[in-house]
Amino acid sequence: MHIHILGICGTFMAGLAGLALKKGFEVTGQDKSYFPPMSDQLKSLGIQENKTEKPISDLKKSDAIIIGNSQSRGNESVEYILDNKLNYFSGPEWIKENILKDKYVFVVSGTHGKTTTTSMLIKILQENNKDPSFLVGGVYKEENISYKYTNSDYFVIEGDEYDTSFFDKRAKFFHYKPNTLVINNLEYDHSDIFENLEQIKKQFHFLIRTMPSDSNIVYNDNDQNILDLLGMGCWAKKTHYKVINNIPNIFGDHNFMNASAASAAASLIGIEEKNSLKALEKFSGVKRRLELIENKKFIVYDDFAHHPTAISSSIQAVRSIHPKKNIAVIFEIRSNSMISGTHEKNFIKSFLDINELYIYCEKEITWLDKNSNIKVYKDIEQIIQKLNDNIDNVDIVIVMSNGDTSEVLRKLK
């Protein structure tokens, strides 16, 4: 059977492509742009790059089309599919029917830390001979890939609250039917699709309403928003995790919480805490989550943080192991929530514990407080030049963006 994927270079869709190939499907795809690391993953899978939004022959001759949530009405291929009544699915719907059936499914959700917690849980299961299948919203650094399909009974998937597709406005995670749901934290984000936190809670509640009484919810009981959510109704078994903070190769309070959540989830299938901690001592991190990048001039970290809480957590984690170093941050305003100014109130506060801040955005930013003396650069070359001119006063550079940072990291060298 031949499936064609619209929006194939997104992290979720590129991982789905790999899973489909492992299941024996013929896979083609297209996207308006291709960029690493997912473009590299697709190339390694032998999937040809088709950089277009037009309906190509692969789409027209396919048996089914999977439409990513980056695709909207007005897109030429979307209109062709609808006008010709072709067979189409959303990515989460397709995964539920073709991948997750007959698996014990761990779904890792929350505003922050999903990819790290998912990766930690995968590592724990692997080290305890469970050999899980998985789909991560980033690159699982241990194997340099975002997906894996095995004969194991277990599947670990990152549960995104973002909407499923233009034709299904429920959260992606609604489709995954978790046996164990991890909720790390709950804050307002994604202002392009949610008007307030209550709308996000409602999506979580819709998921919880579908969970049977023998399923599990692992949660942070110090998060009032999660407690409010569970108060809306919960029929699954609840397990709140206690924070473990003595794992030698893990740093940062947020990462200790991620590790604790992963350990608590693993305990529900019989893995003892001591064995989870032993596994996490071998954990090598996640790509683009405070990933240490080789550089001869500075200590450089590449980080995906794009919400004030995540920004502050990453900075505090770096500060905890480098208390007296001078830290500079290059932050790209890129997410829809950031561009619109949704997090304006807490944005500058999240950078309080650094020495220098460089804001980069290709679009016009009107909400940034003019009294903050923060300049928004449209040319990344200017920022690189300023850092090089001030090299004696900068020890650490953290590059923060939820987009492609490969060019910035290359220029920093």
Side-chain angles (χ1 to χ4, degrees):
M1 184 177 180
H2 173 198
I3 64 170
H4 186 76
I5 303 177
L6 276 186
I8 196 171
C9 200
T11 306
F12 177 84
M13 288 304 209
L16 184 152
L19 291 171
L21 282 171
K22 290 292 288 183
K23 288 282 283 185
F25 292 89
E26 178 188 351
V27 180
T28 57
Q30 62 187 92
D31 213 328
K32 63 181 179 181
S33 60
Y34 286 72
F35 46 85
M38 290 303 117
S39 56
D40 297 331
Q41 179 168 297
L42 292 169
K43 187 176 180 180
S44 72
L45 291 171
I47 297 175
Q48 180 183 335
E49 187 174 298
N50 292 301
K51 198 179 291 186
T52 179
E53 293 189 341
K54 296 184 182 298
I56 60 177
S57 60
D58 281 334
L59 181 152
K60 295 176 182 179
K61 69 184 183 183
S62 63
D63 299 298
I65 299 148
I66 301 177
I67 302 178
N69 71 348
S70 63
Q71 311 299 297
S72 305
R73 289 301 304 263
N75 175 294
E76 288 184 62
S77 289
V78 168
E79 297 306 313
Y80 181 89
I81 291 164
L82 296 177
D83 290 345
N84 290 276
K85 298 178 173 57
L86 301 184
N87 190 29
Y88 66 90
F89 302 90
S90 70
E93 178 187 10
W94 188 90
I95 279 182
K96 178 185 75 174
E97 294 300 327
N98 295 276
I99 304 293
L100 299 182
K101 274 188 173 178
D102 304 320
K103 296 284 190 184
Y104 182 107
V105 182
F106 290 94
V107 176
V108 179
S109 69
T111 310
H112 322 293
K114 290 187 291 293
T115 301
T116 301
T117 306
T118 303
S119 298
M120 287 175 167
L121 181 53
I122 292 166
K123 182 64 173 176
I124 290 169
L125 297 187
Q126 287 179 332
E127 291 293 320
N128 286 276
N129 302 313
K130 302 298 184 186
D131 192 28
S133 302
F134 59 80
L135 180 57
V136 188
V139 175
Y140 180 56
K141 198 172 177 182
E142 309 281 331
E143 299 184 42
N144 201 35
I145 203 162
S146 69
Y147 73 94
K148 189 175 186 180
Y149 190 82
T150 71
N151 292 324
S152 166
D153 292 334
Y154 301 102
F155 199 106
V156 185
I157 187 167
E158 185 169 323
D160 189 356
E161 70 271 25
Y162 211 82
D163 61 0
T164 296
S165 65
F166 78 85
F167 54 87
D168 182 354
K169 305 316 284 183
R170 294 171 298 180
K172 286 180 184 176
F173 57 44
F174 180 83
H175 295 274
Y176 300 153
K177 307 301 180 192
N179 297 88
T180 290
L181 171 67
V182 176
I183 311 176
N184 263 352
N185 40 63
L186 208 48
E187 287 193 80
Y188 180 53
D189 201 7
H190 309 307
S191 61
D192 50 327
I193 59 170
F194 297 117
E195 293 180 9
N196 50 49
L197 178 59
E198 294 309 308
Q199 289 188 353
I200 298 176
K201 286 180 186 175
K202 192 170 286 187
Q203 291 293 327
F204 275 85
H205 180 60
F206 289 159
L207 172 61
I208 290 170
R209 287 183 73 89
T210 69
M211 294 177 64
S213 58
D214 63 349
S215 60
N216 304 282
I217 297 177
V218 174
Y219 67 101
N220 173 8
D221 69 342
N222 287 316
D223 189 312
Q224 187 59 49
N225 291 327
I226 296 177
L227 298 179
D228 293 345
L229 164 67
L230 296 177
M232 294 167 69
C234 180
W235 299 265
K237 292 181 282 188
K238 296 183 289 186
T239 301
H240 64 82
Y241 60 84
K242 66 179 188 344
V243 178
I244 306 162
N245 54 15
N246 57 347
I247 308 167
N249 60 318
I250 290 175
F251 64 96
D253 290 344
H254 66 305
N255 278 328
F256 287 129
M257 293 181 73
N258 295 336
S260 303
S263 174
S267 73
L268 296 172
I269 60 167
I271 298 175
E272 293 182 26
E273 182 182 292
K274 64 179 182 180
N275 292 326
S276 289
L277 299 187
K278 194 179 294 183
L280 290 172
E281 287 177 9
K282 301 177 184 177
F283 182 66
S284 60
V286 182
K287 277 190 175 295
R288 305 236 30 240
R289 271 64 176 181
L290 282 182
E291 181 184 8
L292 188 61
I293 304 296
E294 183 182 351
N295 189 292
K296 292 180 180 176
K297 293 187 291 186
F298 314 101
I299 298 170
V300 176
Y301 291 95
D302 184 17
D303 197 56
F304 193 75
H306 55 280
H307 181 287
T309 301
I311 293 166
S312 180
S313 294
S314 290
I315 289 170
Q316 292 303 320
V318 172
R319 180 60 76 193
S320 71
I321 56 172
H322 300 291
K324 296 182 179 179
K325 299 283 188 182
N326 288 334
I327 299 175
V329 170
I330 301 174
F331 184 86
E332 181 183 13
I333 295 179
R334 184 183 179 92
S335 73
N336 292 320
S337 295
M338 273 296 179
I339 289 171
S340 67
T342 300
H343 302 302
E344 174 183 1
K345 182 179 177 183
N346 295 312
F347 180 66
I348 294 300
K349 294 178 189 173
S350 60
F351 297 101
L352 288 179
D353 202 20
I354 64 169
N355 304 91
E356 295 182 41
L357 174 61
Y358 299 94
I359 305 292
Y360 166 62
C361 186
E362 294 180 348
K363 297 185 178 182
E364 200 64 42
I365 300 299
T366 58
W367 54 262
L368 196 60
D369 183 1
K370 298 297 185 292
N371 296 321
S372 65
N373 296 319
I374 300 294
K375 179 178 179 180
V376 179
Y377 294 84
K378 289 193 173 181
D379 184 357
I380 195 67
E381 294 281 4
Q382 288 182 279
I383 296 176
I384 303 298
Q385 187 59 53
K386 282 185 171 293
L387 282 170
N388 284 331
D389 290 345
N390 196 30
I391 193 168
D392 291 338
N393 297 311
V394 177
D395 304 305
I396 298 168
V397 178
I398 309 174
V399 180
M400 291 181 164
S401 171
N402 66 329
D404 179 22
T405 56
S406 57
E407 186 65 12
V408 178
L409 296 173
R410 186 188 66 79
K411 290 177 184 296
L412 274 172
K413 284 189 174 183

